[in-house]
Amino acid sequence: MKIGFLGPKASFTYAAARAAFPDSSHQLIAFDSITEVIRSYEQDLVDFAIVPVENSIEGSVHQTVDYLFLQADDTRAQAEIIQPIKQQLMATSADKKIEKIFSHPQAIAQSLKYVQQYFPDAKIESTDSTAYAAKFVAEHPDKNYAAIAPVASSLEYGLTIIAQDIQEIDENFTRFWLLGHTTPQIPLPVETEKMTLALTLSDNLPGALYKALQIFADFGINLTKIESRPLKTFLGEYFFLIDAQFSENYLYLIHALEKLGITVKRLGKYKVYKM
């Protein structure tokens, strides 16, 4: 079995993929961007794909959400994996005078307070993943570079951790979606069961969103998240991403929404697992 993930090896996504598929017979394949991970699944290059979808501090990973809504045809989440996130500052040696820090934008945002306090003169540069940042720093030992990445990255690329757990908030978690056609057996404890829908309202009339949300209330379905994202058509046009507790009335709910003229895209119904 082949599983695509946002690489390189030792990224947070890699850790989520390995937790979901611990059997060494499963082949984990790294890709350089979230878009490439999802496309690899759509092109049947892998059996499953794992991508980050939301961080508890920085919010949704828009590259994932927007691609699944705007470009993917029938790609759905079959499971969600929640991973606690700890950010480490690492370099090729502990005595480096750090001039530039590399990491994924989410990791940078989560650790910005620490960086501004202790490395106010360091330039910050974004990369496609935390693990890629660590790999890049390891490949340039002559430079005064550092990376923000997980502990696994320091071990994988032979870097020295010069500051531990630099994330601003300790309660830092990232949600990862496992995309696939079927639901695999995942050896992690189940927290709950959810569903995610993307709604496009039929018009911009007053109360249109209220009427949509009233349907959820009528079915007694509790929402856990609602977020608007631009449709990328005209300014002021949005779709609404809704996470809700799973209900056996799932299909009846969708039918009721569609009767109001709402376009519904099903992004997944899935169990939530915690590492």
Side-chain angles (χ1 to χ4, degrees), residues 15-53:
R18 183 51 74 197
F21 298 94
D23 193 326
S24 60
S25 65
H26 296 145
Q27 184 181 359
L28 271 56
I29 303 175
F31 293 90
D32 291 335
S33 70
I34 289 171
T35 297
E36 289 181 65
V37 176
I38 301 174
R39 284 179 179 166
S40 73
Y41 167 73
E42 293 178 318
Q43 296 168 2
D44 294 324
L45 300 177
V46 296
D47 301 291
F48 294 96
I50 293 187
V51 288
V53 67

Side-chain angles (χ1 to χ4, degrees), residues 199-202 208 211-212 254 257-264:
L199 310 184
T200 306
L201 305 183
S202 57
K211 291 176 182 177
I254 293 172
L257 290 167
E258 291 175 338
K259 282 185 66 176
L260 288 178
I262 297 168
T263 301
V264 182

Side-chain angles (χ1 to χ4, degrees), residues 50-66:
I50 293 187
V51 288
V53 67
E54 185 184 23
N55 177 261
S56 59
I57 298 175
E58 292 304 310
S60 292
V61 180
H62 294 149
Q63 190 177 356
T64 299
V65 171
D66 290 352

Side-chain angles (χ1 to χ4, degrees), residues 133-149:
K135 183 173 182 288
F136 181 82
V137 169
E139 291 171 347
H140 296 80
D142 57 321
K143 303 289 187 180
N144 291 326
Y145 290 167
I148 300 172

